[in-house]
Structure formats: C-alpha cells, structure tokens
Amino acid sequence: MKVFNSPSGGPFLVWALAVQLVLCGSGVFANEDTKNCILPSESESERKVLDRLAPLAHKNFTVQTKNEKNEEYTYVFQLCGDAGGVPGAGVIQLGSKKTDKPTVVGSYNATQAIGGSDWVMLIYRGGDKYDGHCSMESRRAIIMISCNRKIDVGPLEVIAEDRERVQDCFYLFELDTSAVCPPVQSQISTGSIILIIGFCLLAVYLIGGFLYQRLIVGAKGMEQFPNYAFWVEVGNLTADGCDFVCRSRNREEPPAYRGVATEPLEEEPEERDDHLLPM
Ligand SMILES: *[C@@H]1O[C@H](CO)[C@@H](O)[C@H](O)[C@H]1NC(C)=O
Ligand SMILES: *[C@@H]1O[C@H](CO)[C@@H](O)[C@H](O)[C@H]1NC(C)=O
C-alpha cells in the first residue's frame, strides 16, 4: 500500500477528516446563493438539490446561437438571480438588435429542481407568453446541469427550442460543472486508518526510543533499541508460548521412545535374571 510510504500520512488524514466534519456541519444553514429561487411546491429534498448548484450563483452564463432562418439570438442564464439584469428573469433571450426588448424565457420565482447522482435539471417556468405557438402559453427553460470533474463551470449550450407543439414547449440548455458531481468517497477504510495510526505510533516509539537510548543513555549496538531487555524477554516468552501451543510432539518424548525401544529390552532380561537367581 502506497500510504505506508509516508509516515506523515496518518496525521494528515486525521486533519482531513476533521475539516470534512466541519464542512458537513456548515451545510445545515440556509444557502444565501439560492434563496431567491422560489420553488412553488417546495420540499426539503428539492431545496437540497437546488443548493448543490450554489457554486454557479452570481454569474451570467451567455451563449449565442443562430436558428434555421439565420436569426441570431443570445441567451443569458443566471442561477436564482436577474439574468442579464432583467428583474425576476432566470433565462432571457436577446435579439441581434440591441434595441430589442429581451424576452424572458423563464423566471426564477417559478423554479423546479430535479436531481440525480451526477446531474441536476433546473426548470424555470413563467417566462413571456408565446405570440402564436404552443397555445400562447408561458415560455419555459430547462437547464440540464451535468457533472464534469475536469472543469469548474463549462460554457452554456443551447440544445433545442421545441415550440412546434400544442403545449409544454421548452427551451433546452446544457451546462457542465464539477459542482453537481457526487463527493469522492475516501478510498481508505477505517481499518486502514487505524493501521496507519498504529504504524505511525510505532515509528515514533522506535525513533524516539532509539534517539533516547543513543544520546541520553549512551547505549551501543542492539542496546540502542528502546526497552531492549523487555522486548528480548517478550520475544523469548512468545517463543516459549508458541513452542508450548504449536508443537505437536512433546520434546521430552524422543528419549522415552528410545527408552522403550532399547533400554527395557536390555534391562528386562536382567530383571528376570534377578528374580530367578535367589530361587
Ligand atoms: C449580469 O449581466 C447584467 C447585464 O449585463 C449585469 O448588470 C449584471 O451585473 C450581471 N451580473 C453578474 C452577477 O455578473
Ligand atoms: C413571478 O413573478 C411574476 C412577476 O414578477 C409574477 O407575475 C408571477 O406571478 C410570479 N410567479 C410566482 C410563482 O410567484
């Protein structure tokens, strides 16, 4: 395991854990960055999904497109803030002429947030009404925000404007960001952390003890090991214990076998002789 290469890994991990705990605790408070978004059917889980987007707040995301008729449009998106400075608008559409009044595609006072493990779908309803399409309903913007660990926040992209239907038309946008990525799970288990801490303590003991024995006690050779006599004794006792537990044959037995095999054969006739002699 590569973590064993650096004895400083243990203390560092402990600090990392402590910092993470503090960060988790701070998530309890309401999020300033997303509180302007009004979720008409608010639930705690929906607010949590929205809060994952907090790093995107206070930023105008801009994208330019050209439609089939070669008309240029600019879209501006802002998370829970006035897109392009238009009050209440979450997404606006600007025509190519600067004098054109911006069209509100979605308002952040009618937000809906749906999320999965590595994506969040943000829906802004309540935009300006269509002039002729889509039963003249209000415009609606859908922003699909996906996890991409390589970038902080990617550029906004227009995917489609679907207005050739009777209702439920929408403008679809896409945005990549690392903000919605699932947290990276620590690759080190509790058991390994305990092992590392134990290893560090052992290293401190050995090095500290060695220095103490060498510099203060003035020991030489093997005596420089901390508590040398104690560990030698422990080693011997362990060997004895192992000998006692693990050895299958008793060490005293081999002579006894020899005795059975040889001596009695020689002695027994003598004994018989002794019995016979007095008779
Ligand atoms: C967004 O754009 C508008 C208009 O350009 C500007 O007034 C506003 O300050 C911008 N907001 C942010 C957070 O950059
Ligand atoms: C959002 O704001 C607009 C005007 O600012 C208002 O007409 C609309 O009713 C509001 N919608 C909600 C859901 O509050």
Side-chain angles (χ1 to χ4, degrees):
M1 281 211 306
K2 73 165 184 281
V3 281
F4 280 123
N5 288 343
S6 74
S8 64
F12 172 75
L13 265 169
V14 172
W15 275 113
L17 281 176
V19 168
Q20 221 164 30
L21 278 178
V22 171
L23 286 180
C24 286
S26 66
V28 177
F29 305 107
N31 199 310
E32 282 296 308
D33 299 323
T34 58
K35 72 174 193 334
N36 285 339
C37 277
I38 295 169
L39 305 166
S41 49
E42 172 149 2
S43 70
E44 206 179 313
S45 60
E46 192 179 12
R47 186 51 76 173
K48 259 190 203 147
V49 170
L50 186 59
D51 285 349
R52 285 167 62 189
L53 301 177
L56 306 183
H58 313 301
K59 219 182 211 170
N60 288 315
F61 294 92
T62 306
V63 61
Q64 276 186 333
T65 59
K66 242 183 218 172
N67 68 3
E68 316 85 70
K69 291 183 225 145
N70 225 14
E71 294 167 324
E72 243 180 61
Y73 289 106
T74 303
Y75 293 91
V76 184
F77 157 65
Q78 192 170 148
L79 179 79
C80 307
D82 299 339
V86 178
V91 176
I92 57 164
Q93 183 196 52
L94 297 163
S96 47
K97 281 180 261 158
K98 294 281 170 260
T99 51
D100 285 355
K101 191 175 165 286
T103 304
V104 177
V105 179
S107 308
Y108 58 81
N109 72 351
T111 307
Q112 194 183 350
I114 304 165
S117 60
D118 62 352
W119 56 271
V120 172
M121 192 162 81
L122 187 71
I123 303 170
Y124 284 148
R125 292 171 192 278
D128 288 346
K129 290 193 168 30
Y130 285 99
D131 302 325
H133 300 92
C134 306
S135 314
M136 294 163 83
E137 64 177 4
S138 291
R139 286 179 170 78
R140 178 164 64 130
I142 301 177
I143 303 117
M144 188 71 204
I145 299 156
S146 313
C147 159
N148 184 342
R149 287 191 201 280
K150 293 199 197 83
I151 49 177
D152 189 22
V153 184
L156 184 69
E157 280 175 57
V158 182
I159 302 304
E161 186 202 339
D162 188 350
R163 59 180 196 181
E164 305 307 327
R165 41 161 102 204
V166 178
Q167 57 185 45
D168 287 330
C169 299
F170 58 87
Y171 291 73
L172 181 62
F173 302 90
E174 206 176 59
L175 186 66
D176 279 4
T177 174
S178 56
V180 296
C181 291
V184 181
Q185 292 294 311
S186 170
Q187 250 127 59
I188 300 166
S189 67
T190 317
S192 317
I193 291 173
I194 291 172
L195 256 175
I196 292 165
I197 291 172
F199 182 77
C200 290
L201 291 179
L202 183 68
V204 167
Y205 168 75
L206 281 177
I207 295 168
F210 176 82
L211 290 177
Y212 176 81
Q213 292 291 329
R214 188 183 176 89
L215 301 177
I216 296 174
V217 179
K220 294 258 147 48
M222 291 298 277
E223 300 283 315
Q224 290 175 96
F225 273 105
N227 307 90
Y228 178 70
F230 170 74
W231 289 117
V232 165
E233 185 61 16
V234 167
N236 288 339
L237 285 174
T238 311
D240 285 351
C242 197
D243 196 40
F244 179 75
V245 173
C246 309
R247 196 175 290 281
S248 57
R249 283 181 302 174
N250 196 327
R251 261 203 292 202
E252 312 306 326
E253 265 173 348
Y257 278 124
R258 217 184 305 132
V260 170
T262 55
E263 282 163 36
L265 280 181
E266 284 168 16
E267 274 173 31
E268 255 175 291
E270 272 175 41
E271 262 176 60
R272 275 186 208 132
D273 287 353
D274 289 345
H275 281 290
L276 291 172
L277 273 173
M279 281 178 75

